[in-house]
Amino acid sequence: MKLNYQLSNSDFLEYQLYTSSKTKMQNKKRFRTRIFIPLIYIGLALYFYLNSGNSVTAVIFSGVAVLWFFLYPTYSKWRYKKHFRKHVEENYKNRINKPAEISFNENSLTAKDLTSESKIDGTELKELIETKNHFFIKLATEVSVIIPKGSIENQIEFKKVVTDLGAIYVDELDWVWK
């Protein structure tokens, strides 16, 4: 089986967002920020209320804490997406819209692009992750090969070939960036 395709900004961006959403450290950081900032505002509200009896300032700080808690997920989603979009534009600019080719043999795959050619043994394939628009072949080294679904004529055969090489199939069809 041989695949020829080109990767766009959105392909690299979706991979970055997917990987970030599955990273425990990133998720902990986002959770801590969502909780920690409102706690600071609640602390300030208590300080102003107890020390000066200023209930207006206390209510404002409390309101900001509540707003932050409920609006932070939306802000965080937008901010991370903006960050990764810039990251993709800076770091993948030489790979965007350039031809790439992947061919599968009995026990390996070969990936080619303009700058390199890699032969990857089937034992190095860790996971085949399927999202709504992409397949990510995750290697044992935690590096992934991004393949847009539109470039694959027979997706069932593709999944069989990759899993026969040793990759574990991971269904992430419901995944969305949050």
Side-chain angles (χ1 to χ4, degrees), residues 26-159:
Q26 287 284 350
N27 290 332
K28 282 182 182 179
K29 180 180 176 184
R30 290 173 77 185
F31 179 75
R32 280 192 309 253
T33 303
R34 183 178 186 190
I35 299 301
F36 186 67
I37 299 297
L39 287 177
I40 290 172
Y41 279 106
I42 295 294
L44 288 170
L46 286 172
Y47 172 79
F48 281 110
Y49 183 73
L50 296 175
N51 285 347
S52 64
N54 191 342
S55 60
V56 173
T57 304
V59 168
I60 290 172
F61 276 113
S62 298
V64 169
V66 170
L67 283 174
W68 179 271
F69 183 80
F70 288 110
L71 296 179
Y72 179 74
T74 304
Y75 168 75
S76 175
K77 175 182 172 182
W78 169 81
R79 185 74 184 123
Y80 274 78
K81 192 170 187 176
K82 182 179 175 184
H83 165 76
F84 284 121
R85 186 174 287 121
K86 285 183 181 180
H87 175 78
V88 165
E89 288 171 2
E90 289 176 17
N91 295 297
Y92 296 102
K93 63 184 170 196
N94 295 329
R95 294 177 59 193
I96 293 171
N97 297 323
K98 305 290 187 211
E101 178 183 295
I102 294 182
S103 55
F104 296 90
N105 303 322
E106 289 180 21
N107 52 8
S108 67
L109 71 86
T110 305
K112 296 179 188 177
D113 62 16
L114 288 177
T115 60
S116 66
E117 180 175 338
S118 302
K119 184 174 182 179
I120 303 164
D121 191 57
T123 59
E124 294 299 310
L125 303 182
K126 185 176 175 183
E127 296 176 335
L128 172 63
I129 302 164
E130 182 179 9
T131 64
K132 183 179 176 185
N133 300 314
H134 296 88
F135 284 105
F136 305 127
I137 301 174
K138 191 175 202 179
L139 307 179
T141 58
E142 298 298 319
V143 175
S144 294
V145 177
I146 305 166
I147 304 170
K149 280 187 167 181
S151 66
I152 303 170
E153 288 182 25
N154 187 341
Q155 293 180 11
I156 295 169
E157 180 186 351
F158 170 77
K159 287 189 259 188

